[in-house]
Amino acid sequence: MKPFTAPVDDIMFTLEHVVGAPRLNSFDADLAGEIARHFAAFAEGVIAPIDAPGDREGAHLVDGRVQLPAGYAATFAAFAEQGWTGLTAPEEYGGQGQDAVIGAIVSEIETGASQAFNMLVNLTPGHIRTLLNFGTDDQKSRFIPPLASGRWLGTMCLTEPGAGSDLSRICTRAEPDGSVWKLMGEKIFISGGDQDISEGVFHLVLARTGAAEDGVKGLSLFACPSALEDGTRNAVKVTRIEEKMGLHAQPTCQLAFDGARAELVGEQGAGLKAMFTLMNHARIDVALQGVAQAARAHDIARTYACERIQGRGRTIDQHGDVARMLDEIDAAALGARAMAHLALVTMEAGDDPRLLDVLTPVVKAHCSEAGMRASETAMQVLGGYGYLEEYRLSQVYRDVRVAAIYEGTNGIHAMALAGRLLHLENGAGFDAFARFLDAQDRTPGLVRAQSAWKAARAFLETGIDPGPVATPFLRLTARTLEQAVWARMAAAADRHPAPHRIRRAAAFIARLPARAEADLAEIVGG
């Protein structure tokens, strides 16, 4: 199996020279590069070695508590000791005070080394951000330091058996009990719902404080630690661990709250607003999971193809169809990263929220599917060996597959784009996206893709039902954005350590605008 190698040069090239991260006051390219290289060494040497064994062993429920695979506790202890748990936490709460861009660099590298490990530790920055925005001063002082130090790891408790993406159907209730609240109900699909590598688990729970007919306006957000102040366990029980296709080392739990003591975070009835602070960043993190696995798939496939000899002493990377597949995987990974980083920098800059409204669902869906396609194509490069566990591509696919499902299925994001955002503020998000496209280098590929996108937007604005064409419209929007970011990357190719590689991938993308026109034909024809 090809050992994991973090794509630090690609990450820094995109941030510095493609998406404009230097315009952020908090971004220091030298510091970011230093942190990226330091964490890459840790991820390659400490996190990556536990990934494949952890996938084989899996997490287990023993006497009501979750046990993670061998090596996870020691790896997390080293991770916390080096301060990675508090990387983006404010210094006054024991963190290192770095920004979300630094956090995203670490998150992508972490996922490439082990998506299961990433899923265990990477909700912490979002929890801290939510507490900073909505918690009281007392809650910040009590809850943020143990999260920053790694004493606690967090969960996001939204989904219920009868309430998946429709949060208005949430039934878990919160009842006041003196100065605290008590939670009653069941949550499912809770990543890291319990584990044995941190001292405690910090649950952020969306629960109903209003009447059922209030819908999402009757939901509030609660902080529910796994242990009470006197050290006794709170009334939160793991009822099962789900048997999943992938992410075997990451326990996806069903949780029962049986009078669990909790504290209100933010205003009563405003829980969804607070939770979206966590969810919007999580969606970009999911996009980066797709990016990381696409890059990992390319690294495995390219290494194999450059060594595998077949036919007159040539390695198979010199065969036309294999070369095409390698270019496709590389271009997908590089382009998806640029799209995700663009959304991230736009979020952190805060100067174009309507553009961010469009970018977030597009990059979440596109990048997650890029990871899936890349792993499938890489399997094809390896032929029969790609189908074996030995080369890890099967695990790459099994792990990344869920990225198209969680944090809102890609179909839901397509409907948000083609339905809600089409009409929100008279299409202000689409207008912002059009302005962004107009400001890019007018490459032939971008001109053709943008023309198709404009025609599709006009067709949607005639008042047709967006449901049947929402997915091809999101796909068309993503293809148009992809052409835009590749126009930037091609122009900046000389800034990359391997400029010929960037130009080769850009040339591959330049041949694809006909796919955007095919999406338009599907939309109009449908």
Side-chain angles (χ1 to χ4, degrees):
M1 183 181 72
K2 168 69 169 63
F4 169 67
T5 302
V8 173
D9 287 341
D10 293 342
I11 293 171
M12 296 309 302
F13 165 72
T14 304
L15 287 170
E16 289 186 72
H17 306 299
V18 180
V19 302
R23 74 187 178 99
L24 301 175
N25 293 332
S26 61
F27 183 77
D28 181 324
D30 291 336
L31 177 62
E34 182 179 348
I35 291 174
R37 287 184 289 273
H38 184 63
F39 185 73
F42 179 82
E44 292 165 1
V46 182
I47 299 176
I50 68 171
D51 189 50
D55 178 66
R56 291 191 295 269
E57 182 180 344
H60 300 281
L61 187 62
V62 179
D63 296 329
R65 297 300 308 277
V66 172
Q67 293 183 1
L68 295 187
Y72 270 71
T75 296
F76 178 70
F79 180 85
E81 184 179 1
Q82 291 194 13
W84 298 112
T85 50
L87 182 66
T88 59
E91 294 182 43
E92 61 263 36
Y93 297 111
Q96 298 186 45
Q98 299 301 320
D99 68 358
V101 175
I102 296 289
I105 294 172
V106 168
S107 180
E108 181 189 335
I109 295 172
E110 194 174 78
T111 296
S114 173
Q115 187 173 337
F117 186 83
N118 171 268
M119 287 290 294
L120 286 163
V121 304
N122 207 46
L123 282 178
T124 294
H127 281 66
I128 292 173
R129 191 178 302 110
T130 302
L131 289 166
L132 288 171
N133 288 345
F134 297 98
T136 64
D137 289 341
D138 178 59
Q139 288 173 333
K140 295 172 189 176
S141 65
R142 287 186 292 117
F143 295 152
I144 295 179
L147 288 166
S149 68
R151 283 180 50 217
W152 293 351
L153 287 175
T155 72
M156 183 168 63
C157 300
L158 281 76
T159 307
E160 298 182 5
S165 299
D166 183 4
L167 297 178
S168 67
R169 296 176 62 86
I170 282 179
C171 295
T172 295
R173 289 205 59 82
E175 300 289 348
D177 182 28
S179 61
V180 298
W181 296 71
K182 287 190 174 181
L183 302 179
M184 299 290 296
E186 184 181 16
K187 297 289 184 177
I188 62 171
F189 299 159
I190 308 304
S191 300
D194 188 38
Q195 35 71 23
D196 58 354
I197 62 175
S198 68
E199 180 181 318
V201 180
F202 181 74
H203 304 289
L204 278 180
V205 185
L206 203 59
R208 184 162 298 285
T209 51
E213 55 268 25
D214 292 335
V216 296
K217 295 181 180 180
L219 299 177
S220 303
L221 186 65
F222 293 89
C224 180
S226 62
L228 303 177
E229 292 183 0
D230 62 4
T232 60
R233 287 196 62 78
N234 207 346
V236 183
K237 181 181 179 182
V238 181
T239 57
R240 66 175 285 172
I241 298 179
E242 304 294 354
E243 297 289 336
K244 308 189 298 294
M245 175 180 176
L247 295 177
H248 295 151
Q250 188 280 113
T252 302
C253 301
Q254 291 189 13
L255 299 180
F257 295 84
D258 187 13
R261 295 170 68 85
E263 296 182 28
L264 180 67
V265 177
E267 297 179 5
Q268 187 172 333
L272 197 58
K273 177 183 177 182
M275 186 62 86
F276 266 106
T277 301
L278 182 56
M279 291 171 66
N280 284 336
H281 278 269
R283 285 165 177 167
I284 294 179
D285 280 338
V286 170
L288 288 171
Q289 289 175 357
V291 170
Q293 297 292 30
R296 178 72 169 122
H298 177 258
D299 190 30
I300 295 171
R302 179 185 55 80
T303 301
Y304 176 87
C306 290
E307 297 172 352
R308 170 76 160 149
I309 296 175
Q310 183 173 318
R312 298 182 180 180
R314 292 195 304 165
T315 53
I316 64 171
D317 64 306
Q318 301 176 57
H319 292 239
D321 191 53
V322 173
R324 174 195 62 80
M325 289 189 285
L326 292 174
D327 287 346
E328 180 178 341
I329 303 168
D330 198 23
L334 290 166
R337 179 182 294 109
M339 292 163 69
H341 281 174
L342 176 67
L344 174 69
V345 170
T346 303
M347 178 181 290
E348 292 307 298
D351 54 2
D352 201 342
R354 299 289 77 81
L355 175 61
L356 182 64
D357 286 342
V358 173
L359 294 180
T360 301
V362 170
V363 302
K364 189 277 179 185
H366 174 83
C367 296
S368 60
E369 292 183 6
M372 291 157 47
R373 291 194 306 271
S375 57
E376 286 184 332
T377 306
M379 287 184 191
Q380 198 69 19
V381 171
L382 271 65
Y385 288 109
Y387 197 61
L388 304 181
E389 293 289 333
E390 176 183 356
Y391 284 85
R392 196 185 178 274
L393 286 170
S394 61
Q395 186 188 342
V396 170
Y397 181 80
R398 288 187 288 105
D399 286 353
V400 78
R401 181 61 185 84
V402 74
I405 298 172
Y406 57 22
E407 296 304 333
T409 67
N410 288 356
I412 287 173
H413 287 291
M415 279 300 301
L417 181 72
R420 184 178 66 86
L421 290 178
L422 175 69
H423 303 293
L424 183 65
E425 297 181 11
N426 295 316
F430 284 11
D431 291 341
F433 184 64
R435 288 193 296 271
F436 168 79
L437 297 175
D438 289 339
Q440 310 311 310
D441 290 343
R442 309 304 293 165
T443 63
L446 176 56
V447 169
R448 288 176 62 184
Q450 185 177 1
S451 177
W453 182 82
K454 287 180 177 179
R457 175 187 179 179
F459 182 71
L460 286 174
E461 288 175 337
T462 63
I464 61 128
D465 176 10
V469 297
T471 291
F473 181 72
L474 183 145
R475 192 168 58 232
L476 169 55
T477 306
R479 293 196 204 281
T480 308
L481 179 60
E482 184 179 44
Q483 291 288 338
V485 297
W486 269 105
R488 290 186 175 193
M489 281 195 281
D494 287 338
R495 301 294 191 96
H496 192 279
H500 63 283
R501 176 177 156 228
I502 300 301
R503 293 192 183 97
R504 182 183 179 102
F508 179 86
I509 293 294
R511 299 196 294 269
L512 303 184
R515 297 184 181 180
E517 292 162 347
D519 291 332
L520 173 61
E522 182 179 351
I523 293 166
V524 175

